[in-house]
Amino acid sequence: MDARRTTILVDDLRSFVDGRGAEVARTSAAGVELLDRYRDRRLDELWLDHDLGGDDTIWPVVEVLERAAFDKCPFDVGVINVHSANPAGAAKVVQVLRSWGYRVRVASGSTDVGYLDGLPLS
């Protein structure tokens, strides 16, 4: 694994099962803060879950990405992986981010991420 790769994971429950280095945000507010810190830096991978517990969703993070693209200063992201177990929410996130020119991959069901308490992915 290349130690220079920069990865952010925004997910309330899951982590990378292979233990790869990543900055992790468990809420949308924490995800927005992480993006702000990486505003002028390359992100190799951004992993997004749709539902972040309670009423929290990924939409505040998506709005930051949208606004940057609207302002003609999109984030420099190699790929955005949407790995939500919410198919409708994931599809909407993918559609919106692609419409702004981001490279987005549907990663729902990915074995790269798993639940912290060991529950299987569904």
Side-chain angles (χ1 to χ4, degrees):
M1 167 137 316
D2 185 345
R4 295 169 293 181
R5 292 187 60 77
T6 305
T7 302
I8 291 178
L9 170 70
V10 184
D11 192 308
D12 59 325
L13 298 172
R14 289 172 278 200
S15 292
F16 290 110
V17 297
D18 62 5
R20 75 183 74 170
E23 297 227 33
V24 179
R26 298 293 180 199
T27 65
S28 62
V32 168
E33 286 179 27
L34 265 179
L35 279 183
D36 285 344
R37 288 195 351 230
Y38 282 88
R39 182 62 192 104
D40 297 318
R41 295 166 52 191
R42 167 77 174 179
L43 282 173
D44 295 297
E45 295 180 57
L46 176 60
W47 288 73
L48 304 177
D49 182 22
H50 184 275
D51 301 309
L52 299 174
D55 293 332
D56 195 13
T57 68
I58 200 63
W59 286 104
V61 173
V62 172
E63 289 168 1
V64 168
L65 294 163
E66 282 184 288
R67 184 61 186 193
F70 177 82
D71 291 340
K72 304 205 183 321
C73 297
F75 280 80
D76 182 10
V77 182
V79 64
I80 299 172
N81 297 287
V82 180
H83 66 276
S84 180
N86 175 337
K92 190 172 175 186
V93 169
V94 169
Q95 178 184 18
V96 166
L97 292 176
R98 282 182 178 160
S99 74
W100 287 106
Y102 290 102
R103 183 172 166 236
V104 184
R105 182 174 78 92
V106 177
S108 298
S110 172
T111 57
D112 288 343
V113 291
Y115 288 98
L116 294 177
D117 60 8
L119 294 174
L121 291 171
S122 56

